[in-house]
Amino acid sequence: MARLFYRIGKPVDYSISDSYYQHAWKEKIIYSPMGNWFELGYTEMEADPASFKVLSRNFGKDKDFVFWNGQKQAVDPESFTIDASGTVKDANHVYYNRDYDYGRKLRIIEGADPKTYQPLVLEKETYGQRWGKDDKAVFLYGKKVEADGKTFVRINQALAMDTTHLYAIIHDYAAASGSAEDNTSVIRKTERPAGKVESLNDSYARIGNSLILSNWKNPFSLLNFEKIDSINIIDDRNIVISNTLISDGKLMPSIDVVSLVIIDRDYLKDNNAVYYDTEKINEADPATFSTINEFYAKDKQHVFYKTHILAGANPSTFTINYATGIGTDGKLSFKDGVLVK
């Protein structure tokens, strides 16, 4: 650590930030992300060393300016604040920042009122989404959400509502590029059902006698029941309502919930049948069925790729080469469930 500090200087206040340093002989403030000057570089800042102080890991200020990631920012230094939640604002604007955007400028959150803007957080945050709310509007990742801001409420990580509508918080997992901030959308789905609201887990919620879901398998599902007698939460994808299984928001009344077994991520079974991604695997034997990987499975007689049988494949010798993605029993080989000749 001593050699590291010799290159960029001693920390200004290491208890707050590992990225701001006082250069030993240049009389300059140095910004180096996490002190890793060798790999991430460093910036000799236009800051006054005598008055400079650290505000957070990546924010600092001197008598005249505020700095973020070592760069001077166009904000009002007198009224500038950053709270424990990371909300950044001054008397004029609320700002959005991504700490890994080294060298960039703070972005104004258009339309956000700095006097009333606050973080909009759940009691238990698991997805790391960044929400904010003022007295008129709601914002996700610094962008205004098209909803009634005065009554907007987050139900869980994947669902929200206002007085009149339900919203799904959807991440585009198929996007070829971009971060969660770039690929997450808040989509108005349908009118809000009547009744008491209850979050069941990160993906499911109950409103009165309705069950709502949004997850990576199913962007949105709304199921209405005449009555909900009981709820048994199995996991984020599977819930039993009044002795009926709902998997990824799909009713599965043929499932015997007493003998239900969740085998793997996409596989489940009861005493009568086996299912992949809520579809029945015809001819699969529940008693001897087991998974090989996330797409291949077997029983005492067959090898399966998702829901179909691999004709002629021997389940007793079938294995997967994870490097190539090819499955083989030693005689027949398959790639993505298709026979390789």
Side-chain angles (χ1 to χ4, degrees):
M1 186 66 73
R3 292 179 66 186
L4 175 66
F5 289 164
Y6 179 78
R7 175 67 176 178
I8 57 177
K10 293 183 178 180
V12 174
D13 188 342
Y14 204 67
S15 66
I16 300 176
S17 175
D18 58 0
S19 296
Y20 284 102
Y21 298 84
Q22 295 173 327
H23 200 282
W25 64 85
K26 288 190 176 182
E27 297 184 351
K28 286 181 177 290
I29 300 297
I30 303 295
Y31 175 80
S32 179
M34 297 173 287
N36 188 356
W37 62 268
F38 185 75
E39 293 181 337
L40 300 179
Y42 64 93
T43 301
E44 296 185 3
M45 294 167 49
E46 300 177 40
D48 172 46
S51 61
F52 185 83
K53 62 180 181 179
V54 174
L55 303 178
S56 70
R57 185 178 201 176
N58 293 307
F59 280 93
K61 67 180 295 186
D62 64 11
K63 60 185 178 62
D64 297 313
F65 299 103
V66 171
F67 299 84
W68 174 53
N69 291 336
Q71 301 296 318
K72 190 183 298 183
Q73 301 297 313
V75 302
D76 175 34
E78 293 297 323
S79 60
F80 181 86
T81 60
I82 174 170
D83 65 19
S85 70
T87 301
V88 179
K89 56 185 177 180
D90 61 19
N92 305 307
H93 300 290
V94 183
Y95 301 92
Y96 186 72
N97 63 294
R98 299 195 293 190
D99 283 341
Y100 52 83
D101 285 347
Y102 300 125
R104 297 189 180 181
K105 302 297 183 182
L106 293 171
R107 173 164 58 87
I108 294 172
I109 301 179
E110 298 295 341
D113 175 21
K115 293 181 180 179
T116 60
Y117 187 94
Q118 296 292 334
L120 179 61
V121 298
L122 297 172
E123 183 176 346
K124 181 183 178 183
E125 290 281 2
T126 56
Y127 288 8
Q129 297 169 353
R130 294 177 62 183
W131 291 81
K133 187 179 189 299
D134 63 18
D135 60 354
K136 295 181 180 179
V138 174
F139 305 85
L140 174 60
Y141 295 126
K143 299 175 184 178
K144 186 177 180 180
V145 173
E146 293 304 319
D148 178 21
K150 290 185 177 181
T151 62
F152 186 91
V153 175
R154 295 176 64 196
I155 302 173
N156 56 24
Q157 308 293 331
L159 294 163
M161 66 182 184
D162 59 23
T163 300
T164 56
H165 289 90
L166 290 175
Y167 300 81
I169 304 158
I170 298 172
H171 179 75
D172 182 7
Y173 291 94
S177 62
S179 65
E181 304 181 18
D182 303 314
N183 298 313
T184 301
S185 302
V186 182
I187 308 297
R188 178 181 290 177
K189 286 296 183 178
T190 187
E191 292 184 0
R192 172 183 166 181
K196 181 181 177 181
V197 181
E198 179 184 4
S199 172
L200 301 179
N201 55 30
D202 284 350
S203 305
Y204 279 101
R206 174 188 180 181
I207 303 181
N209 287 323
S210 298
L211 184 72
I212 306 100
L213 164 95
S214 179
N215 70 1
W216 63 280
K217 274 285 187 179
N218 186 349
F220 185 77
S221 172
L222 171 62
L223 300 173
N224 297 310
F225 300 85
E226 289 187 8
K227 184 181 180 182
I228 295 179
D229 295 315
S230 62
I231 299 177
N232 178 22
I233 303 169
I234 300 174
D235 55 35
D236 272 1
R237 299 176 65 182
N238 299 284
I239 287 184
V240 176
I241 300 288
S242 304
N243 294 318
T244 299
L245 176 68
I246 294 92
S247 183
D248 289 327
K250 180 180 178 180
L251 278 169
M252 300 188 69
S254 61
I255 291 285
D256 172 32
V257 297
V258 175
S259 61
L260 171 67
V261 176
I262 308 298
I263 303 172
D264 207 338
R265 188 179 73 166
D266 289 321
Y267 292 92
L268 57 86
K269 70 176 183 177
D270 62 12
N271 284 341
N272 306 307
V274 182
Y275 299 81
Y276 172 82
D277 201 14
T278 71
E279 293 187 33
K280 185 178 179 180
I281 305 176
N282 294 319
E283 300 187 46
D285 174 38
T288 60
F289 186 90
S290 63
T291 58
I292 300 171
N293 71 358
E294 60 181 327
F295 301 122
Y296 288 89
K298 64 182 181 179
D299 64 13
K300 63 181 179 181
Q301 289 186 311
H302 305 291
V303 177
F304 304 91
Y305 179 76
K306 297 184 178 180
T307 59
H308 71 266
I309 294 172
L310 300 183
N314 184 348
S316 64
T317 59
F318 195 90
T319 59
I320 302 293
N321 183 321
Y322 289 93
T324 63
I326 293 177
T328 182
D329 64 359
K331 295 181 180 179
L332 300 177
S333 297
F334 301 83
K335 176 72 171 178
D336 298 328
V338 178
L339 182 66
V340 178
K341 296 183 180 180

